[in-house]
Amino acid sequence: MSALIDENEIVHEAELVWLEDVGRLDYVRQSLDRLPTRRGRPAYHRDGRMIGYAVLGPGAKPSRSSGTFRRRVFWLLPHDRDTAPDGLYATGTPAEGVDPRTLAPGGKGRKTERSEGGRPSAAGQSVGRALPL
């Protein structure tokens, strides 16, 4: 969850790789996953789809016990606002959701008026979503 992501755990991020145009998304979910490598596209084992992931720099050290690296993965579920604009998250954002425009390597991101259901994104506008009253 974004509130639980400690910036010390993401300090070695070199870049964020986006698999979709995040300019069209009001929010993305983020999590810290244990992955076998610093770089490359990780396997994805959740419902929904992966939106992006972090690549770690050479200073990142693997866990002593597991040999894995903690890397952020960004994702959306089938019932998220981009595919269900009038659904559960028509307003509000899941706990682990942040506005993708506030994300940067080493920065945990934050919720915004837009991610909480304010001004709709281009995707929301394209399906005719109006502002909440």
Side-chain angles (χ1 to χ4, degrees):
M1 293 184 189
S2 61
L4 301 178
I5 289 182
D6 182 343
E7 287 185 352
N8 292 324
E9 292 187 284
I10 59 176
V11 70
H12 294 292
E13 290 180 344
E15 71 176 301
L16 301 180
V17 176
W18 297 110
L19 304 172
E20 295 186 21
D21 176 10
V22 294
R24 297 183 44 82
L25 300 171
D26 295 337
Y27 63 85
V28 294
R29 295 172 186 256
Q30 66 176 341
S31 59
L32 274 172
D33 292 359
R34 291 206 172 274
L35 300 169
T37 63
R38 286 182 185 93
R39 307 181 62 76
R41 184 176 177 159
Y44 184 72
H45 303 290
R46 294 179 178 89
D47 287 341
R49 67 193 195 275
M50 182 170 34
I51 303 298
Y53 56 90
V55 172
L56 302 180
K61 304 288 185 230
S63 163
R64 289 183 189 169
S65 61
S66 68
T68 59
F69 297 88
R70 301 265 291 172
R71 288 173 55 194
R72 278 194 295 180
V73 175
F74 305 99
W75 44 284
L76 288 170
L77 292 174
H79 61 271
D80 280 321
R81 191 181 311 148
D82 69 308
T83 54
D86 296 320
L88 178 63
Y89 294 109
T91 60
T93 306
E96 67 273 16
V98 293
D99 186 329
R101 283 162 293 275
T102 67
L103 290 164
K108 64 183 182 177
R110 61 185 169 74
K111 295 180 186 308
T112 62
E113 178 183 0
R114 177 182 167 123
S115 70
E116 292 290 343
R119 191 180 78 244
S121 66
Q125 291 172 356
S126 72
V127 295
R129 184 163 167 261
L131 290 172
L133 298 175

